[in-house]
Amino acid sequence: MIKKLLSIMMIVAMMAVLAVGCAKTEEPAATSVETPAETAETPTEAPAPVEAVILKLAETHPADYPTTLGDYEFARLVEEKTEGRVKIEVFPAAQLGEEKDVIEQVQIGAIDLTRTSIAPLTEFSPSLNVLQLPYIYRDADHMWSVLNSEIGENFLKSVESANFVGLGWFDPGQRNFYNSQKEIKSLADLKGLKFRVMQSELMMDMVAALGASPTPLPYGEVYSAIQTGIIDGAENNWPSYDTSSHYEVAKYYTIDGHVRVPEIIIASSIAMQKISAEDLAIMKEAAKEAQAFQIEKWNAKEVESREKVEAAGSIITELTPEAKAEFAAAMEPVYEKYAAEYTDLIKQVQAVK
C-alpha cells in the first residue's frame, strides 16, 4: 500500500515539473507579440518657428503722407516676401528724431532704416549732388528712367562707404516757385524777389543765379514771413504749398520744376548683418515694388492739392519751354561749382531717354 502511494506521489510530482516546463517555454512566445502601440512610429516634433528680425524705420512725415504710405507698403511687402522672417515697424511724424539726427543714428546702427531726402546725404556721397542739380531732369518720367537704371543703382551703392545700404527710391515731387507779388513768366520776372530757401548752399546759389534774393528760413516761419513782407515767397511741391497754407498768403504759383530731389530708403549696414543676403535682396526688391505704390499716392495727392488751391484762388502759371530753357541756362555757374568733376556723369543722366 505504501509502495502504491509513493508511486502515485512520484507521478504527480513529475506532472507538476512538466507543467512548469511547458509554461516556461510558452512565455517567450507570448511576450514576442507586437502591440499596436509598439508598431506605431514615434511622432516627429515640428520644427521651432524662426524668430523674426524686427527692424525700425524712421519717417519724418505724418502717417497719412504719400511717402509714409509708401513706407508702410514697403514694410508689408518685406514681411510677405520673407514669409515673416523680417518685419519692419514704421515710426512716422519724427517719432525717432529729425532727419539729420536720424541719419546719424542709422549710420551707427542705433536705428535700422530711414526714408530721407538725398540732400543731407551729399556730405557722405558728393556725387549725389548730380541728382539734385536744377533743371537736370526734363520731367518726372526722365527722372525715373535715370533712378531705375544702372546709373541709379550706382548712386544707391555710393552710400555704402559711409556705412549705409541704399535700398530704393521714392518720388519727391517737383519744387516750384510761389510768391505774393506777381505771375512769373520769364527770368526777368524773378529779379529782386525774395524767396525763402532751405538751409542749403546749393539752393541759395540757384535762386541767386536766377536773379532773385535767397533767404534761408526755418520752414515753420515761412507763412508769417510772407504775410509780413519779410520775404515775397518760397519754393516747394504741391502738397507742401497746400498743407502749409502758404497759398493763403502767396497766390502766384509758377510751375518751373527747378529741382526734383529724390527720396531714398537707406539701411544701416550694421543692422543688415542681422539678416541673410537672400533677405537683403528681397528688401531691395520690395523697395522697388513699393516705389510704384508711393508714386501713385503722390500723384493723387498732387492732383488733390492743386484742385484745392485753385479753388481757393491761386493763380497757376506754367513756364513755356522757351522760358524754362532760359532758366536752365542760368544754372551754368551752379553746375560749375557743385558738379564740375561729374561732367561725364551729368551727360549720362541728361542722355537717358
Side-chain angles (χ1 to χ4, degrees), residues 144-283:
W144 285 117
S145 293
V146 171
L147 296 180
N148 290 330
S149 71
E150 186 178 350
I151 296 172
E153 184 63 30
N154 289 337
F155 277 117
L156 287 177
K157 292 176 181 177
S158 74
V159 299
E160 292 177 358
S161 60
N163 222 30
F164 301 116
V165 178
L167 298 177
W169 305 104
F170 273 1
D171 197 334
Q174 64 174 350
R175 297 177 77 96
N176 303 302
F177 287 107
Y178 50 89
N179 78 95
S180 61
Q181 301 299 311
K182 60 182 178 180
E183 279 190 88
I184 296 171
K185 297 181 178 180
S186 67
L187 196 60
D189 293 330
L190 283 168
K191 190 172 179 63
L193 292 178
K194 299 185 296 288
F195 285 97
R196 177 266 177 181
V197 294
M198 294 182 288
Q199 293 173 309
S200 158
E201 192 176 353
L202 185 149
M203 293 297 290
M204 291 178 67
D205 287 343
M206 178 199 75
V207 170
L210 291 171
S213 299
T215 306
L217 281 175
Y219 187 63
E221 297 179 15
V222 174
Y223 187 100
S224 61
I226 297 174
Q227 191 175 40
T228 57
I230 294 173
I231 57 176
D232 298 306
E235 52 80 46
N236 219 315
N237 54 48
W238 285 106
S240 295
Y241 178 59
D242 160 24
T243 58
S244 63
S245 298
H246 290 175
Y247 65 91
E248 295 177 352
V249 290
K251 70 176 183 178
Y252 299 102
Y253 192 92
T254 303
I255 303 174
D256 71 301
H258 47 268
V259 291
R260 297 175 184 269
V261 183
E263 308 280 338
I264 185 174
I265 301 175
I266 55 170
S268 166
S269 60
I270 297 171
M272 292 301 95
Q273 292 174 15
K274 302 175 189 176
I275 66 173
S276 66
E278 175 191 0
D279 283 343
L280 176 56
I282 289 174
M283 288 180 67

Side-chain angles (χ1 to χ4, degrees), residues 47-120:
V50 177
E51 188 174 349
V53 175
I54 309 296
L55 302 174
K56 294 181 179 181
L57 188 155
E59 173 59 69
T60 56
H61 290 304
D64 60 349
Y65 199 75
T67 305
T68 312
L69 296 178
D71 296 335
Y72 286 125
E73 177 67 1
F74 169 60
R76 185 191 71 79
L77 288 168
V78 168
E79 182 173 354
E80 176 186 282
K81 290 176 175 293
T82 62
E83 298 179 341
R85 295 187 299 275
V86 181
K87 296 182 179 180
I88 296 174
E89 296 177 347
V90 178
F91 292 82
Q95 292 179 54
L96 300 184
E98 295 299 335
E99 191 171 58
K100 187 175 186 300
D101 293 333
V102 164
I103 290 169
E104 292 172 355
Q105 294 297 302
V106 171
Q107 190 176 34
I108 64 174
I111 295 175
D112 304 306
L113 306 113
T114 189
R115 186 286 321 157
T116 179
S117 164
I118 65 166

